[in-house]
Amino acid sequence: NHLFISSGLRYDLLLEKESESYLRELCRRHVSGRLKVAPEHVDPSVLELMGKPSFEVYEKFEKRFQRINEELGKKQFLVNYFVSAHPGSGLDEALSLALYLVKRRMNPEQVQDFIPLPMTAAACMYHTGRHPLTGRKVRVSRDPEERRMQRALLQHAQPQNRTLVLEALR
């Protein structure tokens, strides 16, 4: 009787006026209360390296999702998925994301440490330290301690991350 979306969806494709009825139907019948989306980061330079749209696109989708659910009389929420230590992201970029999360009172459950998958541009950047299309240098976080600190900043509310967060802030 019920078919729910259990994995994420491309929120950036649901912003055109023509997609309004699709998103409304999705919210009405196919969201079980929580919809997973992957803004992945807030830093413009990191998002560009990821091949993702600007964060404003996510915020626009979030407002549309909330408005539609209010109109439908439903209490449904977005589950946001973020990535730590992607090429281009250092402690400064992770801190910028963490500050955004604090400001929005968000404590993400879904954080993945970047893992270079073969045959992807991100893996090429990770291994060479350069963008595969432009040749420009890209900052890459390979140090395990720095990678742990980036993740801890994103999950700052978890008590076990306190020491790493304080170290990252120093």
Side-chain angles (χ1 to χ4, degrees), residues 12-72:
D12 56 318
L13 299 177
L14 295 172
L15 291 177
E16 299 302 321
K17 186 177 182 189
E18 298 79 22
S19 68
E20 175 97 14
S21 62
Y22 177 80
L23 183 56
R24 182 175 298 283
E25 188 62 19
L26 192 78
C27 291
R28 178 181 291 127
R29 300 182 194 273
H30 304 291
V31 175
S32 63
R34 300 175 77 185
L35 179 65
K36 294 178 186 175
V37 293
E40 295 186 3
H41 218 284
V42 296
D43 186 88
S45 61
V46 176
L47 287 169
E48 181 184 340
L49 291 170
M50 291 177 162
K52 299 280 286 187
S54 72
F55 199 72
E56 288 77 27
V57 172
Y58 166 76
E59 290 176 323
K60 188 176 176 184
F61 170 77
E62 181 183 39
K63 285 179 182 155
R64 179 180 260 194
F65 179 81
Q66 289 171 347
R67 177 181 54 78
I68 288 173
N69 279 294
E70 283 175 21
E71 290 169 3
L72 293 172

Short mmCIF file of all heavy atoms in Angstrom, two decimals, residues 12-72:
data_model
loop_
_atom_site.label_atom_id
_atom_site.label_comp_id
_atom_site.label_asym_id
_atom_site.label_seq_id
_atom_site.Cartn_x
_atom_site.Cartn_y
_atom_site.Cartn_z
N ASP A 12 18.24 19.43 -6.04
CA ASP A 12 18.47 20.52 -6.99
C ASP A 12 17.62 20.39 -8.25
O ASP A 12 17.40 21.36 -8.96
CB ASP A 12 19.95 20.62 -7.36
CG ASP A 12 20.53 19.34 -7.91
OD1 ASP A 12 20.22 18.25 -7.37
OD2 ASP A 12 21.30 19.41 -8.89
N LEU A 13 17.08 19.19 -8.50
CA LEU A 13 16.22 18.99 -9.66
C LEU A 13 14.76 19.27 -9.35
O LEU A 13 13.91 19.16 -10.22
CB LEU A 13 16.36 17.55 -10.17
CG LEU A 13 17.77 17.15 -10.63
CD1 LEU A 13 17.79 15.69 -11.05
CD2 LEU A 13 18.26 18.05 -11.75
N LEU A 14 14.47 19.63 -8.11
CA LEU A 14 13.08 19.85 -7.70
C LEU A 14 12.77 21.31 -7.40
O LEU A 14 11.91 21.62 -6.59
CB LEU A 14 12.75 18.99 -6.48
CG LEU A 14 12.79 17.48 -6.72
CD1 LEU A 14 12.65 16.72 -5.42
CD2 LEU A 14 11.72 17.08 -7.71
N LEU A 15 13.48 22.22 -8.07
CA LEU A 15 13.29 23.63 -7.79
C LEU A 15 12.55 24.39 -8.88
O LEU A 15 12.08 25.50 -8.65
CB LEU A 15 14.64 24.30 -7.52
CG LEU A 15 15.30 23.87 -6.22
CD1 LEU A 15 16.66 24.52 -6.07
CD2 LEU A 15 14.41 24.20 -5.04
N GLU A 16 12.46 23.81 -10.05
CA GLU A 16 11.75 24.49 -11.13
C GLU A 16 10.26 24.49 -10.86
O GLU A 16 9.74 23.61 -10.17
CB GLU A 16 12.05 23.81 -12.47
CG GLU A 16 13.52 23.82 -12.86
CD GLU A 16 14.10 25.22 -12.96
OE1 GLU A 16 13.40 26.13 -13.45
OE2 GLU A 16 15.25 25.41 -12.54
N LYS A 17 9.56 25.47 -11.40
CA LYS A 17 8.13 25.58 -11.19
C LYS A 17 7.40 24.30 -11.61
O LYS A 17 6.47 23.86 -10.96
CB LYS A 17 7.59 26.78 -11.97
CG LYS A 17 6.15 27.07 -11.70
CD LYS A 17 5.69 28.30 -12.44
CE LYS A 17 4.23 28.54 -12.08
NZ LYS A 17 3.63 29.57 -12.89
N GLU A 18 7.89 23.67 -12.69
CA GLU A 18 7.26 22.46 -13.22
C GLU A 18 7.35 21.28 -12.24
O GLU A 18 6.58 20.33 -12.35
CB GLU A 18 7.90 22.05 -14.56
CG GLU A 18 7.75 23.06 -15.67
CD GLU A 18 8.73 24.24 -15.58
OE1 GLU A 18 9.79 24.09 -14.94
OE2 GLU A 18 8.42 25.29 -16.13
N SER A 19 8.28 21.33 -11.32
CA SER A 19 8.46 20.20 -10.39
C SER A 19 7.62 20.33 -9.12
O SER A 19 7.60 19.43 -8.30
CB SER A 19 9.93 20.07 -10.00
OG SER A 19 10.34 21.17 -9.23
N GLU A 20 6.91 21.44 -8.97
CA GLU A 20 6.11 21.67 -7.75
C GLU A 20 5.10 20.55 -7.51
O GLU A 20 4.99 20.03 -6.40
CB GLU A 20 5.38 23.02 -7.86
CG GLU A 20 4.44 23.28 -6.71
CD GLU A 20 5.04 24.15 -5.62
OE1 GLU A 20 6.09 24.78 -5.86
OE2 GLU A 20 4.47 24.19 -4.53
N SER A 21 4.38 20.13 -8.55
CA SER A 21 3.36 19.09 -8.36
C SER A 21 4.02 17.75 -8.02
O SER A 21 3.48 16.97 -7.23
CB SER A 21 2.47 18.96 -9.59
OG SER A 21 3.22 18.57 -10.71
N TYR A 22 5.19 17.50 -8.59
CA TYR A 22 5.91 16.27 -8.28
C TYR A 22 6.33 16.25 -6.81
O TYR A 22 6.12 15.26 -6.10
CB TYR A 22 7.14 16.13 -9.19
CG TYR A 22 7.99 14.92 -8.88
CD1 TYR A 22 7.62 13.67 -9.35
CD2 TYR A 22 9.14 15.03 -8.13
CE1 TYR A 22 8.38 12.55 -9.07
CE2 TYR A 22 9.91 13.92 -7.83
CZ TYR A 22 9.53 12.68 -8.31
OH TYR A 22 10.28 11.58 -8.02
N LEU A 23 6.93 17.35 -6.34
CA LEU A 23 7.36 17.42 -4.95
C LEU A 23 6.16 17.34 -4.00
O LEU A 23 6.22 16.68 -2.97
CB LEU A 23 8.17 18.69 -4.69
CG LEU A 23 8.74 18.85 -3.29
CD1 LEU A 23 9.63 17.67 -2.91
CD2 LEU A 23 9.52 20.16 -3.17
N ARG A 24 5.06 17.97 -4.37
CA ARG A 24 3.85 17.91 -3.54
C ARG A 24 3.37 16.46 -3.41
O ARG A 24 3.05 15.99 -2.32
CB ARG A 24 2.76 18.79 -4.15
CG ARG A 24 1.49 18.84 -3.33
CD ARG A 24 0.49 19.83 -3.92
NE ARG A 24 1.01 21.19 -3.93
CZ ARG A 24 1.07 21.98 -2.85
NH1 ARG A 24 0.61 21.54 -1.70
NH2 ARG A 24 1.54 23.20 -2.94
N GLU A 25 3.33 15.73 -4.52
CA GLU A 25 2.89 14.33 -4.49
C GLU A 25 3.87 13.48 -3.70
O GLU A 25 3.49 12.58 -2.95
CB GLU A 25 2.75 13.80 -5.93
CG GLU A 25 2.14 12.44 -6.02
CD GLU A 25 0.71 12.37 -5.47
OE1 GLU A 25 0.03 13.41 -5.34
OE2 GLU A 25 0.27 11.23 -5.16
N LEU A 26 5.15 13.76 -3.86
CA LEU A 26 6.19 13.06 -3.10
C LEU A 26 5.96 13.25 -1.60
O LEU A 26 5.95 12.27 -0.84
CB LEU A 26 7.56 13.62 -3.50
CG LEU A 26 8.78 12.87 -3.05
CD1 LEU A 26 8.97 11.66 -3.95
CD2 LEU A 26 9.99 13.77 -3.16
N CYS A 27 5.73 14.50 -1.18
CA CYS A 27 5.50 14.79 0.24
C CYS A 27 4.18 14.18 0.72
O CYS A 27 4.10 13.72 1.85
CB CYS A 27 5.50 16.29 0.48
SG CYS A 27 7.12 17.07 0.27
N ARG A 28 3.18 14.20 -0.11
CA ARG A 28 1.86 13.69 0.28
C ARG A 28 1.89 12.19 0.52
O ARG A 28 1.32 11.70 1.47
CB ARG A 28 0.83 14.01 -0.79
CG ARG A 28 -0.57 13.46 -0.45
CD ARG A 28 -1.61 13.75 -1.53
NE ARG A 28 -1.88 15.18 -1.54
CZ ARG A 28 -1.80 15.96 -2.63
NH1 ARG A 28 -1.49 15.44 -3.79
NH2 ARG A 28 -2.05 17.23 -2.54
N ARG A 29 2.57 11.43 -0.34
CA ARG A 29 2.43 9.97 -0.31
C ARG A 29 3.71 9.16 -0.14
O ARG A 29 3.63 7.98 0.16
CB ARG A 29 1.77 9.50 -1.60
CG ARG A 29 0.42 10.07 -1.85
CD ARG A 29 -0.17 9.49 -3.12
NE ARG A 29 -1.32 10.25 -3.56
CZ ARG A 29 -2.55 10.01 -3.15
NH1 ARG A 29 -2.79 9.06 -2.29
NH2 ARG A 29 -3.56 10.74 -3.59
N HIS A 30 4.89 9.76 -0.35
CA HIS A 30 6.09 8.92 -0.45
C HIS A 30 7.23 9.31 0.49
O HIS A 30 8.35 8.86 0.31
CB HIS A 30 6.57 8.90 -1.90
CG HIS A 30 5.53 8.43 -2.85
ND1 HIS A 30 5.08 7.12 -2.88
CD2 HIS A 30 4.80 9.10 -3.78
CE1 HIS A 30 4.14 7.00 -3.79
NE2 HIS A 30 3.94 8.19 -4.36
N VAL A 31 6.95 10.15 1.46
CA VAL A 31 7.93 10.48 2.49
C VAL A 31 7.38 9.94 3.80
O VAL A 31 6.25 10.26 4.18
CB VAL A 31 8.18 12.01 2.59
CG1 VAL A 31 9.12 12.32 3.75
CG2 VAL A 31 8.75 12.54 1.28
N SER A 32 8.16 9.11 4.47
CA SER A 32 7.66 8.46 5.69
C SER A 32 7.84 9.32 6.94
O SER A 32 7.68 8.84 8.04
CB SER A 32 8.38 7.13 5.88
OG SER A 32 9.77 7.37 6.07
N GLY A 33 8.19 10.58 6.76
CA GLY A 33 8.41 11.47 7.89
C GLY A 33 9.77 12.13 7.82
O GLY A 33 9.97 13.23 8.31
N ARG A 34 10.71 11.43 7.21
CA ARG A 34 12.08 11.96 7.07
C ARG A 34 12.56 11.71 5.65
O ARG A 34 12.54 10.58 5.18
CB ARG A 34 12.99 11.29 8.07
CG ARG A 34 12.54 11.51 9.52
CD ARG A 34 13.37 10.75 10.49
NE ARG A 34 14.63 11.45 10.66
CZ ARG A 34 15.64 10.99 11.38
NH1 ARG A 34 15.56 9.82 11.98
NH2 ARG A 34 16.75 11.67 11.50
N LEU A 35 13.02 12.75 4.99
CA LEU A 35 13.53 12.64 3.62
C LEU A 35 15.02 12.94 3.62
O LEU A 35 15.44 14.00 4.12
CB LEU A 35 12.79 13.62 2.70
CG LEU A 35 13.24 13.62 1.24
CD1 LEU A 35 12.92 12.28 0.57
CD2 LEU A 35 12.57 14.76 0.49
N LYS A 36 15.81 12.03 3.09
CA LYS A 36 17.25 12.22 3.07
C LYS A 36 17.67 13.03 1.84
O LYS A 36 17.24 12.76 0.73
CB LYS A 36 17.96 10.87 3.01
CG LYS A 36 17.76 10.03 4.25
CD LYS A 36 18.45 8.70 4.11
CE LYS A 36 18.14 7.81 5.29
NZ LYS A 36 18.71 6.47 5.11
N VAL A 37 18.48 14.05 2.11
CA VAL A 37 19.08 14.85 1.04
C VAL A 37 20.54 15.07 1.38
O VAL A 37 20.95 14.95 2.54
CB VAL A 37 18.35 16.20 0.85
CG1 VAL A 37 16.95 15.99 0.31
CG2 VAL A 37 18.33 17.00 2.12
N ALA A 38 21.34 15.40 0.37
CA ALA A 38 22.77 15.51 0.59
C ALA A 38 23.32 16.87 0.16
O ALA A 38 23.89 17.01 -0.92
CB ALA A 38 23.49 14.39 -0.17
N PRO A 39 23.18 17.88 1.03
CA PRO A 39 23.82 19.15 0.69
C PRO A 39 25.35 19.02 0.73
O PRO A 39 26.05 19.75 0.07
CB PRO A 39 23.30 20.12 1.75
CG PRO A 39 22.77 19.28 2.84
CD PRO A 39 22.40 17.96 2.26
N GLU A 40 25.87 18.10 1.50
CA GLU A 40 27.27 17.68 1.62
C GLU A 40 28.21 18.72 2.23
O GLU A 40 29.10 18.37 2.96
CB GLU A 40 27.81 17.16 0.29
CG GLU A 40 27.10 15.89 -0.11
CD GLU A 40 27.68 15.22 -1.35
OE1 GLU A 40 28.68 15.70 -1.90
OE2 GLU A 40 27.10 14.20 -1.75
N HIS A 41 28.04 19.99 1.92
CA HIS A 41 28.92 21.03 2.47
C HIS A 41 28.26 22.38 2.29
O HIS A 41 27.25 22.49 1.60
CB HIS A 41 30.28 21.00 1.76
CG HIS A 41 31.43 21.26 2.69
ND1 HIS A 41 31.72 22.52 3.16
CD2 HIS A 41 32.33 20.44 3.24
CE1 HIS A 41 32.79 22.45 3.96
NE2 HIS A 41 33.17 21.19 4.03
N VAL A 42 28.82 23.43 2.88
CA VAL A 42 28.32 24.78 2.66
C VAL A 42 29.35 25.67 1.98
O VAL A 42 28.99 26.69 1.41
CB VAL A 42 27.85 25.47 3.98
CG1 VAL A 42 26.68 24.74 4.59
CG2 VAL A 42 28.98 25.64 4.95
N ASP A 43 30.61 25.29 2.02
CA ASP A 43 31.66 26.12 1.46
C ASP A 43 31.59 26.11 -0.07
O ASP A 43 31.63 25.04 -0.68
CB ASP A 43 33.03 25.61 1.93
CG ASP A 43 34.14 26.52 1.50
OD1 ASP A 43 34.45 27.47 2.23
OD2 ASP A 43 34.70 26.29 0.41
N PRO A 44 31.51 27.28 -0.70
CA PRO A 44 31.36 27.35 -2.16
C PRO A 44 32.49 26.66 -2.93
O PRO A 44 32.24 25.98 -3.92
CB PRO A 44 31.35 28.84 -2.47
CG PRO A 44 31.02 29.52 -1.19
CD PRO A 44 31.49 28.61 -0.09
N SER A 45 33.73 26.80 -2.46
CA SER A 45 34.84 26.19 -3.19
C SER A 45 34.81 24.66 -3.09
O SER A 45 35.13 23.96 -4.05
CB SER A 45 36.19 26.74 -2.71
OG SER A 45 36.37 26.46 -1.34
N VAL A 46 34.41 24.14 -1.94
CA VAL A 46 34.31 22.68 -1.77
C VAL A 46 33.15 22.15 -2.61
O VAL A 46 33.29 21.14 -3.30
CB VAL A 46 34.14 22.29 -0.28
CG1 VAL A 46 33.93 20.80 -0.12
CG2 VAL A 46 35.34 22.75 0.54
N LEU A 47 32.02 22.84 -2.58
CA LEU A 47 30.87 22.41 -3.38
C LEU A 47 31.21 22.41 -4.87
O LEU A 47 30.81 21.51 -5.60
CB LEU A 47 29.66 23.32 -3.11
CG LEU A 47 28.99 23.12 -1.76
CD1 LEU A 47 27.98 24.23 -1.49
CD2 LEU A 47 28.33 21.76 -1.68
N GLU A 48 31.97 23.40 -5.31
CA GLU A 48 32.38 23.45 -6.72
C GLU A 48 33.23 22.23 -7.07
O GLU A 48 33.03 21.59 -8.11
CB GLU A 48 33.16 24.73 -6.99
CG GLU A 48 33.59 24.87 -8.43
CD GLU A 48 34.44 26.10 -8.68
OE1 GLU A 48 34.40 27.05 -7.86
OE2 GLU A 48 35.15 26.11 -9.68
N LEU A 49 34.16 21.87 -6.20
CA LEU A 49 35.00 20.69 -6.44
C LEU A 49 34.18 19.40 -6.42
O LEU A 49 34.51 18.43 -7.09
CB LEU A 49 36.13 20.60 -5.41
CG LEU A 49 37.20 21.69 -5.53
CD1 LEU A 49 38.13 21.66 -4.32
CD2 LEU A 49 37.98 21.53 -6.82
N MET A 50 33.10 19.40 -5.65
CA MET A 50 32.21 18.23 -5.60
C MET A 50 31.29 18.16 -6.81
O MET A 50 30.62 17.15 -7.02
CB MET A 50 31.32 18.30 -4.34
CG MET A 50 32.04 18.11 -3.05
SD MET A 50 30.85 18.33 -1.70
CE MET A 50 31.73 17.56 -0.36
N GLY A 51 31.22 19.25 -7.56
CA GLY A 51 30.29 19.30 -8.68
C GLY A 51 28.86 19.51 -8.23
O GLY A 51 27.92 19.10 -8.89
N LYS A 52 28.70 20.14 -7.06
CA LYS A 52 27.38 20.37 -6.48
C LYS A 52 26.98 21.84 -6.70
O LYS A 52 27.84 22.71 -6.81
CB LYS A 52 27.41 20.10 -4.97
CG LYS A 52 27.77 18.70 -4.56
CD LYS A 52 26.64 17.74 -4.66
CE LYS A 52 25.66 17.97 -3.55
NZ LYS A 52 24.59 16.98 -3.48
N PRO A 53 25.68 22.11 -6.68
CA PRO A 53 25.23 23.51 -6.79
C PRO A 53 25.53 24.26 -5.50
O PRO A 53 25.86 23.66 -4.47
CB PRO A 53 23.72 23.37 -7.00
CG PRO A 53 23.37 22.06 -6.41
CD PRO A 53 24.56 21.18 -6.60
N SER A 54 25.39 25.58 -5.55
CA SER A 54 25.64 26.39 -4.37
C SER A 54 24.68 26.01 -3.24
O SER A 54 23.62 25.42 -3.48
CB SER A 54 25.46 27.88 -4.70
OG SER A 54 24.09 28.17 -4.86
N PHE A 55 25.06 26.35 -2.03
CA PHE A 55 24.24 25.99 -0.88
C PHE A 55 22.90 26.72 -0.89
O PHE A 55 21.93 26.24 -0.31
CB PHE A 55 25.00 26.25 0.42
CG PHE A 55 24.42 25.50 1.58
CD1 PHE A 55 24.57 24.13 1.68
CD2 PHE A 55 23.69 26.16 2.55
CE1 PHE A 55 24.00 23.42 2.73
CE2 PHE A 55 23.14 25.46 3.61
CZ PHE A 55 23.29 24.09 3.69
N GLU A 56 22.84 27.85 -1.57
CA GLU A 56 21.58 28.57 -1.67
C GLU A 56 20.51 27.71 -2.36
O GLU A 56 19.32 27.82 -2.07
CB GLU A 56 21.77 29.88 -2.44
CG GLU A 56 22.52 30.95 -1.67
CD GLU A 56 24.03 30.71 -1.62
OE1 GLU A 56 24.60 30.07 -2.56
OE2 GLU A 56 24.65 31.15 -0.64
N VAL A 57 20.94 26.83 -3.26
CA VAL A 57 20.00 25.93 -3.93
C VAL A 57 19.37 24.99 -2.90
O VAL A 57 18.16 24.77 -2.91
CB VAL A 57 20.71 25.13 -5.06
CG1 VAL A 57 19.81 24.05 -5.63
CG2 VAL A 57 21.18 26.08 -6.15
N TYR A 58 20.19 24.47 -1.99
CA TYR A 58 19.65 23.61 -0.93
C TYR A 58 18.66 24.39 -0.06
O TYR A 58 17.58 23.90 0.26
CB TYR A 58 20.77 23.03 -0.06
CG TYR A 58 20.23 22.44 1.21
CD1 TYR A 58 19.60 21.21 1.20
CD2 TYR A 58 20.28 23.15 2.41
CE1 TYR A 58 19.03 20.68 2.36
CE2 TYR A 58 19.73 22.63 3.57
CZ TYR A 58 19.11 21.40 3.53
OH TYR A 58 18.55 20.88 4.67
N GLU A 59 19.05 25.60 0.34
CA GLU A 59 18.18 26.40 1.20
C GLU A 59 16.84 26.71 0.52
O GLU A 59 15.80 26.72 1.17
CB GLU A 59 18.89 27.67 1.63
CG GLU A 59 20.03 27.38 2.61
CD GLU A 59 20.84 28.60 2.98
OE1 GLU A 59 21.06 29.47 2.10
OE2 GLU A 59 21.24 28.68 4.16
N LYS A 60 16.88 26.94 -0.78
CA LYS A 60 15.66 27.18 -1.53
C LYS A 60 14.77 25.92 -1.53
O LYS A 60 13.57 26.00 -1.32
CB LYS A 60 16.01 27.59 -2.96
CG LYS A 60 14.85 28.04 -3.78
CD LYS A 60 15.34 28.52 -5.15
CE LYS A 60 14.17 28.88 -6.04
NZ LYS A 60 14.58 29.26 -7.39
N PHE A 61 15.41 24.76 -1.72
CA PHE A 61 14.65 23.51 -1.67
C PHE A 61 14.06 23.30 -0.28
O PHE A 61 12.90 22.91 -0.15
CB PHE A 61 15.53 22.31 -2.04
CG PHE A 61 14.85 21.00 -1.76
CD1 PHE A 61 13.87 20.51 -2.61
CD2 PHE A 61 15.16 20.27 -0.62
CE1 PHE A 61 13.21 19.32 -2.34
CE2 PHE A 61 14.51 19.07 -0.34
CZ PHE A 61 13.54 18.60 -1.21
N GLU A 62 14.85 23.54 0.74
CA GLU A 62 14.38 23.35 2.12
C GLU A 62 13.13 24.18 2.40
O GLU A 62 12.16 23.69 2.97
CB GLU A 62 15.51 23.73 3.09
CG GLU A 62 15.16 23.54 4.54
CD GLU A 62 16.28 23.99 5.46
OE1 GLU A 62 16.92 25.03 5.17
OE2 GLU A 62 16.51 23.31 6.47
N LYS A 63 13.12 25.43 1.95
CA LYS A 63 11.95 26.30 2.14
C LYS A 63 10.74 25.76 1.39
O LYS A 63 9.62 25.75 1.91
CB LYS A 63 12.26 27.72 1.69
CG LYS A 63 13.15 28.47 2.67
CD LYS A 63 13.46 29.85 2.19
CE LYS A 63 14.39 30.51 3.20
NZ LYS A 63 15.20 31.54 2.63
N ARG A 64 10.97 25.30 0.18
CA ARG A 64 9.87 24.75 -0.62
C ARG A 64 9.31 23.49 0.04
O ARG A 64 8.10 23.31 0.15
CB ARG A 64 10.35 24.44 -2.03
CG ARG A 64 9.25 23.84 -2.89
CD ARG A 64 9.74 23.54 -4.27
NE ARG A 64 9.29 24.62 -5.14
CZ ARG A 64 9.32 24.56 -6.46
NH1 ARG A 64 9.82 23.50 -7.06
NH2 ARG A 64 8.88 25.54 -7.18
N PHE A 65 10.20 22.62 0.52
CA PHE A 65 9.79 21.38 1.20
C PHE A 65 8.95 21.71 2.43
O PHE A 65 7.89 21.12 2.65
CB PHE A 65 11.05 20.58 1.57
CG PHE A 65 10.77 19.29 2.29
CD1 PHE A 65 10.40 18.15 1.60
CD2 PHE A 65 10.91 19.21 3.67
CE1 PHE A 65 10.15 16.96 2.27
CE2 PHE A 65 10.67 18.03 4.35
CZ PHE A 65 10.28 16.90 3.64
N GLN A 66 9.42 22.66 3.24
CA GLN A 66 8.69 23.05 4.44
C GLN A 66 7.33 23.65 4.11
O GLN A 66 6.32 23.32 4.75
CB GLN A 66 9.52 24.04 5.27
CG GLN A 66 10.72 23.41 5.93
CD GLN A 66 11.65 24.43 6.55
OE1 GLN A 66 11.56 25.64 6.31
NE2 GLN A 66 12.58 23.95 7.36
N ARG A 67 7.30 24.51 3.11
CA ARG A 67 6.04 25.16 2.72
C ARG A 67 5.02 24.12 2.25
O ARG A 67 3.86 24.13 2.69
CB ARG A 67 6.28 26.17 1.60
CG ARG A 67 4.99 26.83 1.10
CD ARG A 67 5.22 27.82 -0.03
NE ARG A 67 5.96 27.29 -1.16
CZ ARG A 67 5.45 26.50 -2.11
NH1 ARG A 67 4.18 26.11 -2.06
NH2 ARG A 67 6.19 26.09 -3.12
N ILE A 68 5.44 23.21 1.41
CA ILE A 68 4.53 22.18 0.90
C ILE A 68 4.00 21.32 2.03
O ILE A 68 2.81 21.01 2.10
CB ILE A 68 5.20 21.33 -0.20
CG1 ILE A 68 5.35 22.17 -1.47
CG2 ILE A 68 4.44 20.05 -0.47
CD1 ILE A 68 6.15 21.52 -2.57
N ASN A 69 4.88 20.93 2.96
CA ASN A 69 4.44 20.11 4.08
C ASN A 69 3.48 20.86 5.00
O ASN A 69 2.54 20.27 5.53
CB ASN A 69 5.63 19.54 4.84
CG ASN A 69 6.20 18.33 4.15
OD1 ASN A 69 5.56 17.29 4.07
ND2 ASN A 69 7.40 18.47 3.61
N GLU A 70 3.69 22.14 5.18
CA GLU A 70 2.75 22.94 5.97
C GLU A 70 1.38 22.97 5.29
O GLU A 70 0.36 22.81 5.95
CB GLU A 70 3.28 24.37 6.14
CG GLU A 70 4.37 24.49 7.17
CD GLU A 70 4.96 25.89 7.23
OE1 GLU A 70 4.31 26.87 6.79
OE2 GLU A 70 6.10 26.00 7.72
N GLU A 71 1.40 23.18 3.98
CA GLU A 71 0.14 23.21 3.23
C GLU A 71 -0.59 21.87 3.31
O GLU A 71 -1.81 21.83 3.33
CB GLU A 71 0.40 23.58 1.76
CG GLU A 71 0.83 25.02 1.57
CD GLU A 71 1.34 25.31 0.16
OE1 GLU A 71 1.31 24.40 -0.71
OE2 GLU A 71 1.78 26.45 -0.06
N LEU A 72 0.18 20.78 3.35
CA LEU A 72 -0.42 19.44 3.42
C LEU A 72 -0.79 19.05 4.86
O LEU A 72 -1.41 18.02 5.08
CB LEU A 72 0.56 18.40 2.86
CG LEU A 72 0.85 18.46 1.36
CD1 LEU A 72 1.97 17.49 0.99
CD2 LEU A 72 -0.41 18.17 0.55
#
